[in-house]
Amino acid sequence: PITYTPGVHYKGIVEGESASIVALSVFKDQIMGMISTRRGNFVIGRINNDPENKHIIYNDKDLDKPFEFECGTRDDGLGYTKEMLENKLMSRDANDCVRLHIVINNDIVVDKGGVVPATDFVTGLYNLSFTIFTNESINMMINEIFAWTTPSPYHSGTNQQKLAAFKANTSFFGADLDQ
């Protein structure tokens, strides 16, 4: 366990733009967030390794290099039925909350400069995610964070090998979802 002072996290919309999403996290030494409007996704964050701790805001559609995503999950499960994908009006208990246990791999801890900055980064990143889930009436919270300060047993190999090692090394974590 470490002593950790959490940041303050905000979520909302841009005034007059009901289809917008805003998520902002403020920490002792940085601000991170996103403002998503019809004009694009404006990303706010600290410039890596800047000695003056400067920040930047940019529209991600203006990036020269396109974002590349590779899903590491095998598509070997059962497919969704038409009924499963239909919108259904459901009422949820106001106290429903999905609790997360998050594991931060050592490469992120090293890249961010330690456990506290890595935890700030992850909690700010999840604030963005939680804002999207809130729009779907899904409440989420981080229940626990485990940060590797040594190489984890799932730091190399294929995505499938990493997932298998993660499953093998994750025991009871007291949450609904382990990521």
Side-chain angles (χ1 to χ4, degrees):
I2 64 164
T3 301
Y4 177 69
T5 303
V8 180
H9 306 280
Y10 300 96
K11 58 187 169 208
I13 63 170
V14 174
E15 185 175 10
E17 294 191 39
S18 60
S20 65
I21 296 175
V22 177
L24 188 66
S25 296
V26 181
F27 301 97
K28 182 176 93 173
D29 61 350
Q30 72 171 311
I31 296 172
M32 64 185 292
M34 178 190 67
I35 303 166
S36 181
T37 69
R38 288 177 298 236
R39 293 180 299 280
N41 300 314
F42 296 87
V43 180
I44 304 165
R46 182 171 55 189
I47 298 173
N48 284 341
N49 303 315
D50 184 79
E52 296 178 17
N53 202 22
K54 291 181 182 175
H55 287 62
I56 187 170
I57 182 169
Y58 61 91
N59 190 333
D60 66 1
K61 73 177 184 179
D62 294 333
L63 294 174
D64 291 336
K65 185 178 177 185
F67 177 71
E68 296 178 18
F69 176 76
E70 176 187 338
C71 181
T73 303
R74 276 190 305 215
D75 190 12
D76 59 358
L78 297 174
Y80 292 105
T81 65
K82 183 179 177 182
E83 292 78 27
M84 294 167 104
L85 296 174
E86 289 177 353
N87 283 331
K88 296 179 181 158
L89 294 176
M90 297 187 323
S91 62
R92 298 181 52 91
D93 183 349
N95 295 321
D96 280 355
C97 185
V98 178
R99 297 171 303 132
L100 300 180
H101 173 260
I102 298 172
V103 178
I104 305 174
N105 211 0
N106 182 252
D107 60 340
I108 296 173
V109 173
V110 169
D111 181 64
K112 297 301 177 188
V115 171
V116 170
T119 302
D120 286 349
F121 171 73
V122 167
T123 58
L125 183 64
Y126 272 89
N127 183 43
L128 299 172
S129 225
F130 291 171
T131 301
I132 294 168
F133 280 103
T134 297
N135 286 346
E136 300 299 325
S137 299
I138 299 172
N139 297 318
M140 301 183 85
M141 67 173 277
I142 297 173
N143 192 54
E144 182 179 51
I145 294 177
F146 180 89
W148 283 93
T149 57
T150 60
S152 73
Y154 39 84
H155 72 282
S156 63
T158 67
N159 286 337
Q160 296 308 316
Q161 291 168 327
K162 290 176 191 176
L163 181 58
F166 185 78
K167 288 178 182 178
N169 287 284
T170 303
S171 59
F172 176 76
F173 46 83
D176 302 304
L177 181 62
D178 192 18
Q179 296 186 311

